[in-house]
Amino acid sequence: MNTHPGVIGRKLGMTQVFTSDGSVIPCTVVEARPVVVGKRTKEKDGYDALVLGLADRKDKHTKKPQAGMYKKASVSPKRWLKELRCTPEFAASFELGAEVKLDSVFEEGQHVDVQGTSRGRGFTGVMRRFNFAGQVQTHGTHEYKRHGGSIGTNMTPGRVLKGVGMPGQHGNAKVTVYSQRVVKVSADDSLLFVEGGIPGSKNSLVFVRGAVKRHGGKKKG
Amino acid sequence: MSMIHPKIEAFENSALRSDLPNFRVGDTIAVHYKIVEGDKLRTQVFKGTVIKRHRAGARSTFTVRKVSFSVGVERVFLLHSPRIEQIDVVSRGVVRRARLGYLRNLQGKAARIRDEKDV
């Protein structure tokens, strides 16, 4: 399991960053100013985790049991909560109610995995959803121009194979992009610059943590 | 078009260059551009006519066209790139278009642009 340090944040949009040698890196900017709302411990819950909260929620929209939890951590009610499975040492380095500063979690040059909800496209056909080619537009084609064509063979195997592309819901699913490089960490204004694109629309919630597939997912030192 | 987030805009604006001279489409300019050759850094001068300016904040670019050994050469530069050492405005031209794509179809005398001094 990935127990690398991470944060939840909001995707703000994309920009570009000039490196010292003048080349340009396309970046996605994530604003992350999460607060530790609660903790899970091995003794009590069977695993170690931090409960991170992001952005304020109105009191009138907060249910009373949750309000008690926020009161215990002496923070304002949060709009989003996310449990971050982590090592007990990492969990111990944060007080209840403390803000997670970006420079205590990430450093420039390391790699991260970013998880978000991709932009929903609704019920779409196979051309848009799976990049099928469709049919020829001429030579008498009618009512069949954007169809997928055949979905299999006849007697052998006598059924439709699993995974055959068909129309359906496209997008609005949890998507993870792996091993994106951290270009810049700006702890003062809580901005994280991640190379390349990340899933989701602007202002959507994203979950950034050290990369599982790369060395350097862990913050050095 | 979606709006740029104010925090991203503030970050971009912090890296804008203000040391470069003002130039317009039609001007002849010389761009001193740092290039890496192997492990050596040297400056190359690209002199030609500005045929396009793309004004987009930190991502602004401009296109310079010159005719080298009777072959047209165009280069797109990022205006705020740290690789641009300096820009010399050689002459100011008078044009009536914002984009000079028509120059690509013209050669020799026809491809000249009137100098501001001669008008």
Side-chain angles (χ1 to χ4, degrees), chain A:
Chain A
M1 172 176 286
N2 187 349
T3 52
H4 295 321
V7 293
I8 51 176
R10 298 180 81 162
K11 171 177 168 177
L12 294 189
M14 291 195 72
T15 183
Q16 61 183 25
V17 170
F18 285 107
T19 60
S20 54
D21 69 343
S23 52
V24 173
I25 304 174
C27 294
T28 311
V29 186
V30 175
E31 185 184 39
R33 194 176 289 158
V35 170
V36 178
V37 176
K39 285 188 182 184
R40 304 279 179 261
T41 56
K42 185 97 183 161
E43 297 78 52
K44 202 171 168 217
D45 310 286
Y47 60 96
D48 288 293
L50 285 178
V51 183
L52 300 178
L54 186 77
D56 286 341
R57 176 199 289 272
K58 281 182 180 163
D59 285 338
K60 66 174 180 181
H61 293 142
T62 312
K63 295 191 170 113
K64 276 184 187 159
Q66 273 75 42
M69 175 184 70
Y70 294 114
K71 203 174 167 194
K72 208 166 141 191
S74 57
V75 294
S76 57
K78 297 297 171 204
R79 187 166 162 196
W80 290 296
L81 291 176
K82 174 94 185 164
E83 279 190 17
L84 172 78
R85 294 288 286 263
C86 61
T87 56
E89 297 81 51
F90 182 74
S93 63
F94 291 98
E95 302 270 319
L96 260 190
E99 188 182 311
V100 180
K101 284 279 188 190
L102 277 176
D103 53 358
S104 64
V105 181
F106 299 117
E107 65 181 11
E108 282 167 28
Q110 78 164 111
H111 288 82
V112 290
D113 297 339
V114 186
Q115 206 168 62
T117 306
S118 62
R119 286 164 62 185
R121 290 152 178 90
F123 193 103
T124 57
V126 288
M127 287 183 70
R128 186 157 171 69
R129 193 172 178 217
F130 295 111
N131 293 327
F132 282 16
Q135 317 303 322
V136 287
Q137 301 292 299
T138 54
H139 297 295
T141 310
H142 59 101
E143 292 95 42
Y144 209 71
K145 288 185 176 176
R146 296 183 63 88
H147 285 221
S150 167
I151 58 169
T153 48
N154 187 9
M155 274 291 280
T156 314
R159 59 186 168 86
V160 176
L161 297 175
K162 279 187 176 178
V164 170
M166 292 192 194
Q169 166 69 31
H170 181 33
N172 194 21
K174 189 199 268 185
V175 176
T176 311
V177 288
Y178 293 98
S179 306
Q180 306 280 86
R181 194 154 57 93
V182 173
V183 176
K184 197 171 148 65
V185 179
S186 179
D188 296 335
D189 38 15
S190 303
L191 296 182
L192 182 70
F193 291 68
V194 180
E195 181 170 0
I198 63 178
S201 59
K202 283 177 190 172
N203 290 321
S204 65
L205 184 71
V206 291
F207 182 41
V208 189
R209 70 187 318 179
V212 270
K213 293 183 180 176
R214 290 286 283 253
H215 301 294
K218 250 179 210 154
K219 193 177 168 184
K220 285 163 230 150

Side-chain angles (χ1 to χ4, degrees), chain B residues 93-104:
Chain B
V94 178
V95 290
R96 300 169 73 154
R97 301 273 182 279
R99 306 275 156 100
L100 307 183
Y102 66 87
L103 283 184
R104 293 168 184 158

